[in-house]
């Protein structure tokens, strides 16, 4: 349901992993932007993260499943962040021939992780509220 805050967080995570990687480059090598679609590993990781975010949005009736899906998405984004760190450490250094710099696209998994953690906090809060109401019956 769109009126719940975790849905907004999940939709923002969907935008972060599904739309923004097309706009922001991961890094720049020799004044040429390097986007995620140029490496199949990044396409798969961003695609899975986008799919999990969308799956989390549509599973709003089952809060426990939504919570688990978001946890899996957080783990996937941590793996993606680790791949970015590994790749950035292996980029060739600054020489006269190769000039490399990191792009803003490398920070997208961090933003997605923050949004997913906020969504999980809201899901947990809803679950606790439902449990407290069930205790009163």
């Amino acid at each position: 349901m769109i009126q719940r805050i975790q849905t907004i967080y999940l939709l923002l995570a969907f935008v972060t992993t599904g739309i923004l990687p097309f706009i922001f480059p991961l890094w720049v090598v020799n004044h040429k932007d390097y986007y995620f679609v140029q490496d199949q590993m990044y396409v798969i990781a961003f695609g899975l993260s986008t799919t999990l975010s969308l799956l989390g949005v549509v599973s709003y009736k089952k809060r426990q499943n939504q919570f688990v899906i978001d946890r899996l998405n957080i783990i996937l984004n941590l793996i993606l962040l680790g791949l970015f760190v590994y790749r950035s450490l292996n980029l060739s250094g600054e020489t006269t021939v190769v000039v490399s710099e990191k792009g803003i696209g490398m920070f997208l998994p961090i933003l997605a992780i923050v949004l997913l953690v906020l969504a999980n906090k809201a899901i947990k809060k809803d679950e606790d509220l439902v449990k407290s109401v069930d205790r009163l019956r």
Side-chain angles (χ1 to χ4, degrees):
M1 295 180 4
I2 196 70
Q3 69 262 23
R4 292 173 38 195
I5 190 67
Q6 60 261 31
T7 306
I8 303 298
Y9 290 141
L10 289 172
L11 286 175
L12 287 174
F14 170 78
V15 168
T16 301
T17 58
I19 296 171
L20 293 182
F22 287 104
I23 299 169
F24 298 116
L26 299 178
W27 47 81
V28 179
V29 178
N30 285 338
H31 305 290
K32 182 180 177 200
D33 293 340
Y34 187 87
Y35 290 93
F36 82 104
V37 293
Q38 294 171 334
D39 193 351
Q40 185 178 8
M41 180 174 46
Y42 298 132
V43 171
I44 291 170
F46 272 113
L48 281 173
S49 180
T50 304
T51 305
L52 286 175
S53 294
L54 195 59
L55 192 61
V57 169
V58 298
S59 64
Y60 61 89
K61 288 186 179 182
K62 299 177 182 173
R63 286 177 299 279
Q64 289 293 59
N65 289 346
Q66 192 178 28
F67 192 78
V68 170
I69 289 169
D70 290 345
R71 285 273 173 105
L72 289 174
N73 202 353
I74 289 171
I75 292 170
L76 179 65
N77 277 299
L78 285 172
I79 291 170
L80 186 61
L81 185 62
L83 288 173
F84 285 158
V85 168
Y86 176 75
R87 173 72 175 148
S88 70
L89 291 176
N90 285 337
L91 279 177
S92 59
E94 300 294 326
T95 63
T96 58
V97 178
V98 178
V99 176
S100 63
E101 57 186 61
K102 285 69 174 172
I104 196 167
M106 291 185 72
F107 296 107
L108 292 177
I110 295 172
L111 180 61
I113 289 169
V114 168
L115 290 169
L116 291 167
V117 166
L118 290 173
N120 272 353
K121 277 180 104 174
I123 293 167
K124 181 74 172 143
K125 188 176 170 183
D126 278 356
E127 188 66 28
D128 291 343
L129 181 67
V130 168
K131 284 181 181 178
S132 70
V133 169
D134 284 344
R135 267 186 264 143
L136 293 175
R137 287 188 212 181

